[in-house]
């Protein structure tokens, strides 16, 4: 299983009146993690968009454990939680400078044609992505020995 890492400096504008990162910014950071793992696998989401294919969010979950504050560095760890040839679920963990878990998350996506939002088979349209995702995805517990 591939785990991609991306570091983000917490900027003042990303915090709220309580001095902690505003909750919606974690969704932006998860997106940065998702594009980083795609890049780490050797692909480009921007190139997919040029083909007229986009990957909208079907579902998203964030669970807040510990606040991050201005001046800290957030480390986003991203992996492919599930993949079935059509849908992809990405897992996320975001840590603070001390290595404490701040947020866990999951986002589910499907690839669709941009002009009509009809789903496409990643396996058929992008066989190289399919192969890389199959190799990089989290393995079921029963497969781990």
């Amino acid at each position: 299983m591939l785990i991609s890492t991306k570091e983000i400096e917490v900027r003042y504008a990303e915090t709220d009146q309580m001095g902690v990162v505003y909750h919606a910014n974690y969704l932006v950071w998860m997106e940065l993690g998702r594009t980083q793992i795609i890049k780490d696998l050797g692909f480009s989401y921007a190139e997919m968009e040029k083909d007229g294919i986009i990957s909208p969010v079907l579902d998203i979950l964030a669970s807040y454990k510990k606040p991050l504050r201005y001046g800290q560095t957030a480390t986003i760890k991203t992996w492919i939680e599930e993949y079935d040839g059509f849908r992809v679920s990405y897992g996320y963990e975001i840590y603070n400078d001390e290595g404490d878990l701040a947020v866990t998350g999951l986002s589910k996506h499907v690839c669709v044609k941009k002009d009509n939002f009809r789903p496409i088979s990643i396996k058929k349209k992008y066989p190289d992505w399919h192969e890389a995702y199959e190799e990089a995805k989290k393995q079921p517990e029963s497969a781990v020995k």
Side-chain angles (χ1 to χ4, degrees), residues 122-135:
I122 299 168
K123 184 177 182 176
K124 290 180 184 175
K125 176 106 174 138
Y126 299 104
D128 50 342
W129 281 51
H130 170 74
E131 185 177 320
Y133 271 51
E134 281 292 334
E135 289 179 20

Side-chain angles (χ1 to χ4, degrees), residues 8-145:
I8 304 289
E9 271 189 50
V10 178
R11 296 165 293 222
Y12 184 77
E14 293 170 319
T15 63
D16 60 19
Q17 285 185 323
M18 295 177 284
V20 299
V21 173
Y22 179 66
H23 68 277
N25 286 312
Y26 291 106
L27 302 181
V28 174
W29 294 354
M30 287 163 46
E31 180 65 19
L32 292 172
R34 183 174 77 93
T35 55
Q36 185 64 50
I37 197 167
I38 290 169
K39 183 178 178 181
D40 289 350
L41 286 169
F43 304 105
S44 167
Y45 184 75
E47 289 300 315
M48 183 190 289
E49 283 190 342
K50 286 180 185 174
D51 285 347
I53 305 299
I54 57 174
S55 183
V57 175
L58 296 173
D59 196 10
I60 196 154
L61 173 70
S63 182
Y64 306 99
K65 311 293 184 191
K66 194 168 197 164
L68 276 155
R69 301 180 185 281
Y70 170 65
Q72 291 187 312
T73 299
T75 301
I76 305 151
K77 296 188 180 244
T78 308
W79 62 91
I80 299 166
E81 183 71 24
E82 295 179 333
Y83 169 72
D84 66 7
F86 285 94
R87 290 168 296 279
V88 183
S89 295
Y90 297 91
Y92 309 92
E93 290 178 345
I94 302 174
Y95 294 87
N96 66 16
D97 299 71
E98 292 81 39
D100 297 325
L101 183 60
V103 175
T104 60
L106 183 79
S107 66
K108 296 179 182 182
H109 302 256
V110 65
C111 288
V112 300
K113 293 180 181 179
K114 187 176 181 176
D115 59 352
N116 62 14
F117 264 66
R118 292 187 65 134
I120 61 125
S121 167
I122 299 168
K123 184 177 182 176
K124 290 180 184 175
K125 176 106 174 138
Y126 299 104
D128 50 342
W129 281 51
H130 170 74
E131 185 177 320
Y133 271 51
E134 281 292 334
E135 289 179 20
K137 74 180 178 181
K138 182 176 179 179
Q139 298 301 312
E141 303 247 347
S142 60
V144 179
K145 294 181 181 178

